[in-house]
Amino acid sequence: MEKKNMGFLPNREKLVKELTPQVKEDLKNYFQDRDYGVIAITREDALRAFVVKATNLCEIARLRHKLSPMATAVLGRALIGAILLTSLLKHGTDQRVLLRIEGDGPIGLVVAEANAKGEVRGFVQNPNVPTFVKEESGKKKFDIGKAVGKGTLTVVKDLGFGTPYESSVPLVSGEIAQDIAYYLLKSEQIPSAVAIGVLVGETGKVEAAGGFLAQPLPGASEEAIEKLEENVKSLPPVSTLIKEGKRPEDIAELLFKGFTTELLALKELSFRCKCSKELARGGLIAMPEEELEKLIEEGQASVKCNFCGEEYVFTKEELQEIMEEKRKGNN
């Protein structure tokens, strides 16, 4: 399938297309190993799902922030969670959602921000948090809840209409996916099934990552909701599915087993930050003069972006120019 027919680049047009074998082959050829998500619905009833593959962007986050395996798993889940919450936004716009997890666990503050175009960024307060493991069904896995601890999940939606909408709920597990489902139920009154997985290999590299958000739409029948619940319960971990080669559209079909799956929209995903040296310069201009003087005496200044780890270095000459600009603005 040619790029102009994919319906999401560059205009990200919506589409409704039955998920036939040919469409699946076209998606595989087009996206290949890139991260992306599909928004799918059922033809027979009012069910909806947003399924994403996010292996590459989670690995980029790991490398940018020099994360430990535990921190990789936590931030990866938060990034995917923020992406899933963009399903509440207008597709393809600059509207954005920020997910903030404030727990008393050793990882500290966790922040992830995603926009409706599929761009996401984020950070954790403690990138070197040690690994915590728990056993579940005879298998060892990361104890995300222990790393995060107890606290609150806050979701901030910026719809571009002035003051952003903010809502907080208590963390019910610290596992992030369950906490997002609880948020959707309590703050948005939307019952949802949320699953997120980040598989970290022995070397620390992200081997597979993704997630889904599935929910009934208004008018969904009880039978359809029960069938969706059964399908969700029967699925293995989403990171396992992606590791095995399943793609977002394949997982959507598994979620909608017993229904005809149709694609509503596609979205390419990427780890991307809007920081720049100009923005960092603005932060320096806002500093008190005495602090700028100290930096000039030291000979240079370095400003690091929390969200992506990018570092901007300012020479003594640049700092002196900033000081002159600041003094002119104060006169």
Side-chain angles (χ1 to χ4, degrees):
M1 186 179 292
E2 296 178 3
K3 179 181 284 192
K4 65 181 181 181
N5 294 327
M6 289 305 294
F8 82 107
L9 286 174
N11 296 322
R12 301 173 186 262
E13 299 167 348
K14 289 186 177 181
L15 51 86
V16 177
K17 187 182 289 289
E18 184 178 342
L19 194 55
T20 63
Q22 182 60 56
V23 170
K24 291 175 68 175
E25 184 66 22
D26 290 341
L27 287 171
K28 184 176 181 180
N29 290 336
Y30 184 85
F31 285 107
Q32 299 182 27
D33 291 329
R34 301 202 300 275
D35 293 334
Y36 69 102
V38 302
I39 298 175
I41 55 175
T42 55
R43 177 181 295 174
E44 297 84 357
D45 217 300
L47 301 178
R48 177 180 181 273
F50 183 22
V51 189
V52 306
K53 170 187 171 292
T55 306
N56 299 323
L57 68 86
C58 288
E59 173 64 6
I60 290 171
R62 177 185 79 88
L63 294 172
R64 276 193 165 273
H65 291 297
K66 300 179 175 59
L67 302 174
S68 69
M70 189 82 233
T72 299
V74 175
L75 181 57
R77 288 191 180 204
L79 293 172
I80 295 168
I83 291 169
L84 293 177
L85 286 174
T86 62
S87 63
L88 305 172
L89 309 179
K90 187 175 181 181
H91 186 66
T93 67
D94 287 321
Q95 293 182 353
R96 56 197 174 94
V97 60
L98 183 140
L99 183 153
R100 186 170 68 243
I101 300 168
E102 297 169 283
D104 60 5
I107 198 150
L109 177 67
V110 182
V111 177
E113 181 187 65
N115 64 25
K117 294 178 180 177
E119 299 166 341
V120 65
R121 61 180 188 166
F123 66 92
V124 295
Q125 187 175 352
N126 181 7
N128 300 310
V129 67
T131 298
F132 302 104
V133 177
K134 65 179 179 180
E135 194 166 304
E136 199 171 275
S137 303
K139 294 183 179 180
K140 290 184 177 180
K141 58 182 292 186
F142 283 122
D143 192 343
I144 304 295
K146 187 171 182 179
V148 171
K150 297 178 181 179
T152 59
L153 166 68
T154 300
V155 175
V156 183
K157 287 190 292 181
D158 185 353
L159 306 180
F161 303 136
T163 305
Y165 169 78
E166 182 173 323
S167 180
S168 297
V169 295
L171 291 170
V172 293
S173 71
E175 293 286 331
I176 300 178
Q178 292 168 281
D179 301 302
I180 290 173
Y182 183 72
Y183 160 79
L184 288 168
L185 181 62
K186 292 298 181 181
S187 294
E188 304 287 341
Q189 286 76 55
I190 307 174
S192 309
V194 182
I196 301 173
V198 179
L199 180 62
V200 181
E202 292 183 3
T203 63
K205 183 179 180 180
V206 178
E207 296 184 350
F212 66 76
L213 188 161
Q215 53 199 194
L217 296 171
S221 66
E222 287 297 325
E223 293 80 7
I225 295 172
E226 289 175 5
K227 181 60 178 174
L228 176 61
E229 291 174 348
E230 291 174 10
N231 291 344
V232 169
K233 289 177 182 177
S234 68
L235 286 181
V238 66
S239 57
T240 299
L241 290 171
I242 292 173
K243 176 70 173 176
E244 293 173 350
K246 292 288 190 295
R247 304 175 72 82
E249 58 273 17
D250 300 320
I251 298 172
E253 280 193 317
L254 294 173
L255 287 168
F256 293 156
K257 185 178 179 181
F259 302 93
T260 303
T261 304
E262 295 183 326
L263 292 184
L264 184 63
L266 307 169
K267 184 181 294 185
E268 188 161 6
L269 307 173
S270 62
F271 186 96
R272 185 167 298 175
C273 189
K274 293 184 178 180
C275 69
S276 66
K277 189 167 185 178
E278 191 60 31
L279 287 174
R281 191 175 188 276
L284 290 172
I285 290 175
M287 291 177 65
E289 285 191 18
E290 56 269 23
E291 291 186 26
L292 264 178
E293 288 285 6
K294 288 179 182 178
L295 294 176
I296 292 171
E297 288 174 12
E298 291 171 5
Q300 72 170 33
S302 176
V303 179
K304 187 175 182 180
C305 175
N306 284 337
F307 277 101
C308 69
E310 189 71 32
E311 195 166 358
Y312 299 98
V313 177
F314 293 83
T315 64
K316 183 175 183 178
E317 291 73 20
E318 288 174 313
L319 291 172
Q320 288 171 333
E321 289 176 7
I322 290 172
M323 177 64 86
E324 289 175 13
E325 183 177 335
K326 181 179 179 66
R327 285 172 174 166
K328 286 180 182 178
N330 290 339
N331 292 334

